[in-house]
Amino acid sequence: MSIEQIKNSENALLKAMQTDDVETLDRLLHKDLQFVIPSGECIGKQDDIHHHKVGLIQLKKIVPSEQTIQINSDTATVTVHWELIGSYKGHEFEGKFRYIRVWKQELDTWQVIAGAGVQIHENK
């Protein structure tokens, strides 16, 4: 288990989210996933896959930055800053977001088991 494996998994997840690749999402998301999305909803693996499969979420642009990765035994915690443009359930969004994901090692693969995302509102 290495930081490079987590980076590769993060990149694969990002690509799968952008292209609605539900097969890759199925492989990368843990069966017990709990994720709090920026709207405040808590979704599981099947919800996430369904949202991509039927087009409830559409991601037009994702620009990641400020990624940090910490590995502790069979888990890895990733925080990342994303600039996003897209829509969710027909509502357009655009902005900067901070995500945290917890990856769990299952045999020889890493899967997201938990996480959350929040929109960052800049003070003016």
Coordinates of all heavy atoms in Angstrom, one line a residue, residues 40-80:
G40 N -26.0 18.0 1.4 CA -26.3 17.5 2.8 C -26.8 16.1 2.8 O -27.0 15.5 3.9
E41 N -27.2 15.5 1.6 CA -27.7 14.2 1.5 C -26.6 13.2 1.8 O -25.5 13.4 1.5 CB -28.3 13.9 0.1 CG -29.4 14.7 -0.3 CD -29.7 14.4 -1.8 OE1 -30.2 13.3 -2.1 OE2 -29.5 15.4 -2.6
C42 N -27.0 12.1 2.5 CA -26.1 10.9 2.7 C -26.4 9.9 1.7 O -27.6 9.4 1.7 CB -26.2 10.4 4.1 SG -24.9 9.1 4.5
I43 N -25.5 9.5 0.9 CA -25.7 8.5 -0.2 C -24.8 7.3 0.0 O -23.8 7.4 0.6 CB -25.6 9.0 -1.6 CG1 -24.1 9.5 -1.9 CG2 -26.6 10.2 -1.8 CD1 -23.9 9.8 -3.3
G44 N -25.3 6.2 -0.5 CA -24.5 4.9 -0.5 C -24.0 4.6 -1.9 O -24.2 5.3 -2.8
K45 N -23.4 3.4 -2.0 CA -22.8 3.0 -3.3 C -23.9 2.9 -4.4 O -23.7 3.5 -5.4 CB -22.2 1.6 -3.1 CG -21.6 1.1 -4.4 CD -20.9 -0.3 -4.1 CE -20.3 -0.8 -5.4 NZ -19.5 -2.0 -5.2
Q46 N -25.0 2.3 -4.1 CA -26.0 2.1 -5.1 C -26.6 3.4 -5.5 O -26.9 3.7 -6.7 CB -27.1 1.1 -4.7 CG -26.6 -0.3 -4.5 CD -25.7 -0.8 -5.7 OE1 -26.1 -0.7 -6.8 NE2 -24.6 -1.4 -5.4
D47 N -26.8 4.4 -4.6 CA -27.3 5.7 -4.9 C -26.3 6.4 -5.9 O -26.7 7.0 -6.9 CB -27.4 6.6 -3.7 CG -28.4 6.0 -2.6 OD1 -29.4 5.5 -3.0 OD2 -28.0 6.0 -1.4
D48 N -25.0 6.4 -5.5 CA -24.0 7.1 -6.3 C -24.0 6.5 -7.7 O -24.0 7.3 -8.7 CB -22.6 6.9 -5.6 CG -21.6 7.9 -6.2 OD1 -21.8 8.4 -7.3 OD2 -20.6 8.1 -5.5
I49 N -23.9 5.2 -7.9 CA -23.9 4.6 -9.2 C -25.2 4.9 -10.0 O -25.1 5.3 -11.1 CB -23.7 3.0 -9.0 CG1 -22.3 2.8 -8.6 CG2 -24.0 2.3 -10.4 CD1 -22.0 1.3 -8.2
H50 N -26.3 4.9 -9.3 CA -27.6 5.2 -10.0 C -27.6 6.7 -10.5 O -28.0 6.9 -11.6 CB -28.8 5.0 -9.0 CG -30.1 5.4 -9.6 ND1 -30.7 4.6 -10.5 CD2 -30.9 6.5 -9.3 CE1 -31.9 5.3 -10.8 NE2 -32.0 6.4 -10.1
H51 N -27.1 7.6 -9.7 CA -27.0 9.0 -10.1 C -26.2 9.2 -11.4 O -26.6 10.0 -12.2 CB -26.4 9.9 -9.0 CG -27.3 10.0 -7.8 ND1 -26.8 10.5 -6.6 CD2 -28.6 9.8 -7.6 CE1 -27.8 10.5 -5.7 NE2 -28.9 10.1 -6.3
H52 N -25.2 8.4 -11.5 CA -24.4 8.5 -12.7 C -25.0 7.8 -13.9 O -25.0 8.2 -15.0 CB -23.0 7.9 -12.5 CG -22.1 8.9 -11.7 ND1 -21.4 9.9 -12.3 CD2 -21.8 9.0 -10.4 CE1 -20.7 10.6 -11.4 NE2 -21.0 10.0 -10.2
K53 N -25.6 6.6 -13.6 CA -26.2 5.8 -14.6 C -27.4 6.5 -15.3 O -27.5 6.4 -16.5 CB -26.7 4.5 -14.0 CG -27.1 3.4 -15.0 CD -27.5 2.2 -14.2 CE -27.2 1.0 -15.1 NZ -27.4 -0.3 -14.3
V54 N -28.2 7.2 -14.6 CA -29.4 7.9 -15.2 C -29.2 9.4 -15.4 O -30.1 10.0 -15.8 CB -30.7 7.6 -14.3 CG1 -30.9 6.1 -14.2 CG2 -30.6 8.3 -12.9
G55 N -28.0 9.9 -15.2 CA -27.7 11.3 -15.5 C -28.2 12.3 -14.5 O -28.3 13.5 -14.8
L56 N -28.5 11.9 -13.2 CA -28.9 12.8 -12.2 C -27.7 13.7 -11.8 O -27.9 14.9 -11.3 CB -29.4 12.1 -10.9 CG -30.7 11.4 -11.1 CD1 -31.1 10.6 -9.8 CD2 -31.8 12.4 -11.4
I57 N -26.5 13.2 -12.0 CA -25.3 14.1 -11.8 C -24.5 14.1 -13.1 O -24.4 13.1 -13.7 CB -24.4 13.6 -10.6 CG1 -23.3 14.6 -10.4 CG2 -23.8 12.2 -10.9 CD1 -22.7 14.6 -9.0
Q58 N -24.2 15.4 -13.5 CA -23.4 15.5 -14.7 C -22.2 16.5 -14.3 O -22.5 17.6 -13.8 CB -24.2 16.1 -15.8 CG -25.3 15.1 -16.2 CD -26.2 15.7 -17.3 OE1 -26.3 16.9 -17.5 NE2 -26.9 14.8 -18.0
L59 N -21.0 16.0 -14.5 CA -19.9 16.8 -14.2 C -19.2 17.3 -15.5 O -18.6 16.4 -16.2 CB -18.9 16.0 -13.3 CG -19.5 15.5 -12.0 CD1 -18.6 14.5 -11.3 CD2 -19.8 16.7 -11.1
K60 N -19.3 18.5 -15.7 CA -18.7 19.1 -17.0 C -17.2 19.4 -16.8 O -16.4 19.4 -17.7 CB -19.5 20.3 -17.4 CG -20.9 20.1 -17.7 CD -21.7 21.3 -17.9 CE -23.2 21.0 -18.0 NZ -24.0 22.2 -17.9
K61 N -16.8 19.8 -15.6 CA -15.5 20.2 -15.3 C -15.1 19.9 -13.9 O -15.8 20.2 -13.0 CB -15.3 21.7 -15.5 CG -13.9 22.3 -15.3 CD -13.9 23.8 -15.5 CE -12.5 24.4 -15.2 NZ -12.5 25.8 -15.3
I62 N -13.9 19.2 -13.7 CA -13.4 18.9 -12.4 C -11.9 19.3 -12.5 O -11.2 18.7 -13.3 CB -13.5 17.5 -12.0 CG1 -15.0 17.0 -12.0 CG2 -12.9 17.3 -10.6 CD1 -15.2 15.5 -11.7
V63 N -11.5 20.2 -11.7 CA -10.1 20.6 -11.6 C -9.6 20.4 -10.2 O -9.9 21.1 -9.3 CB -9.8 22.0 -12.0 CG1 -8.3 22.3 -11.9 CG2 -10.3 22.3 -13.4
P64 N -8.9 19.3 -9.9 CA -8.4 19.0 -8.5 C -7.1 19.8 -8.2 O -6.3 20.1 -9.1 CB -8.2 17.5 -8.5 CG -7.8 17.2 -10.0 CD -8.6 18.2 -10.8
S65 N -7.0 20.1 -6.9 CA -5.7 20.7 -6.5 C -5.6 20.5 -5.0 O -6.5 20.0 -4.3 CB -5.7 22.2 -6.8 OG -6.7 22.9 -6.1
E66 N -4.5 20.8 -4.4 CA -4.3 20.7 -3.0 C -4.6 19.4 -2.4 O -5.3 19.3 -1.3 CB -5.0 21.8 -2.2 CG -4.7 23.2 -2.6 CD -5.5 24.2 -1.9 OE1 -5.9 24.0 -0.7 OE2 -5.8 25.3 -2.4
Q67 N -4.2 18.3 -3.0 CA -4.5 17.0 -2.5 C -3.5 16.6 -1.4 O -2.3 16.7 -1.6 CB -4.4 16.0 -3.7 CG -4.8 14.6 -3.3 CD -4.6 13.6 -4.5 OE1 -3.5 13.4 -4.9 NE2 -5.7 13.1 -5.0
T68 N -4.0 16.0 -0.3 CA -3.2 15.4 0.7 C -3.6 14.0 0.9 O -4.8 13.7 0.9 CB -3.2 16.2 2.0 OG1 -4.5 16.2 2.5 CG2 -2.7 17.6 1.8
I69 N -2.7 13.1 1.2 CA -3.0 11.7 1.4 C -2.2 11.2 2.7 O -1.1 11.5 2.8 CB -2.5 10.9 0.2 CG1 -3.2 11.3 -1.1 CG2 -2.7 9.4 0.5 CD1 -2.7 10.7 -2.3
Q70 N -3.0 10.6 3.5 CA -2.4 10.0 4.7 C -2.8 8.5 4.8 O -4.0 8.2 4.7 CB -2.9 10.7 6.0 CG -2.4 12.1 6.1 CD -2.9 12.8 7.4 OE1 -3.9 12.5 7.9 NE2 -2.1 13.7 7.9
I71 N -1.8 7.6 4.9 CA -2.1 6.2 5.0 C -1.9 5.7 6.4 O -0.9 6.0 7.0 CB -1.2 5.4 4.0 CG1 -1.6 5.8 2.6 CG2 -1.5 3.9 4.2 CD1 -0.7 5.2 1.5
N72 N -2.8 4.9 6.9 CA -2.7 4.3 8.2 C -3.2 2.9 8.1 O -4.4 2.6 8.1 CB -3.6 5.1 9.2 CG -3.4 4.6 10.6 OD1 -2.6 3.7 10.9 ND2 -4.2 5.1 11.5
S73 N -2.3 1.9 8.1 CA -2.6 0.5 8.0 C -3.5 0.2 6.7 O -3.0 0.4 5.6 CB -3.4 0.1 9.3 OG -3.6 -1.3 9.3
D74 N -4.7 -0.2 6.9 CA -5.6 -0.5 5.7 C -6.5 0.6 5.3 O -7.5 0.3 4.6 CB -6.3 -1.8 6.0 CG -7.4 -1.7 7.1 OD1 -7.3 -0.7 7.8 OD2 -8.3 -2.5 7.2
T75 N -6.3 1.8 5.8 CA -7.1 2.9 5.3 C -6.2 4.1 4.9 O -5.1 4.2 5.3 CB -8.0 3.5 6.5 OG1 -7.2 3.9 7.5 CG2 -9.0 2.4 6.9
A76 N -6.8 4.9 4.0 CA -6.1 6.1 3.5 C -7.1 7.2 3.5 O -8.3 7.0 3.1 CB -5.5 5.9 2.1
T77 N -6.7 8.4 4.0 CA -7.6 9.6 4.0 C -7.0 10.5 3.0 O -5.8 10.9 3.0 CB -7.6 10.2 5.4 OG1 -8.0 9.2 6.3 CG2 -8.5 11.4 5.4
V78 N -7.9 11.0 2.1 CA -7.5 11.9 1.1 C -8.4 13.2 1.2 O -9.6 13.1 1.3 CB -7.8 11.3 -0.3 CG1 -7.5 12.4 -1.4 CG2 -7.0 10.1 -0.5
T79 N -7.7 14.3 1.2 CA -8.5 15.6 1.1 C -8.0 16.3 -0.2 O -6.9 16.2 -0.6 CB -8.2 16.6 2.3 OG1 -6.8 16.8 2.4 CG2 -8.7 15.9 3.6
V80 N -9.0 16.9 -0.8 CA -8.7 17.5 -2.1 C -9.6 18.7 -2.3 O -10.8 18.7 -1.8 CB -8.8 16.5 -3.3 CG1 -10.2 16.0 -3.4 CG2 -8.3 17.1 -4.6

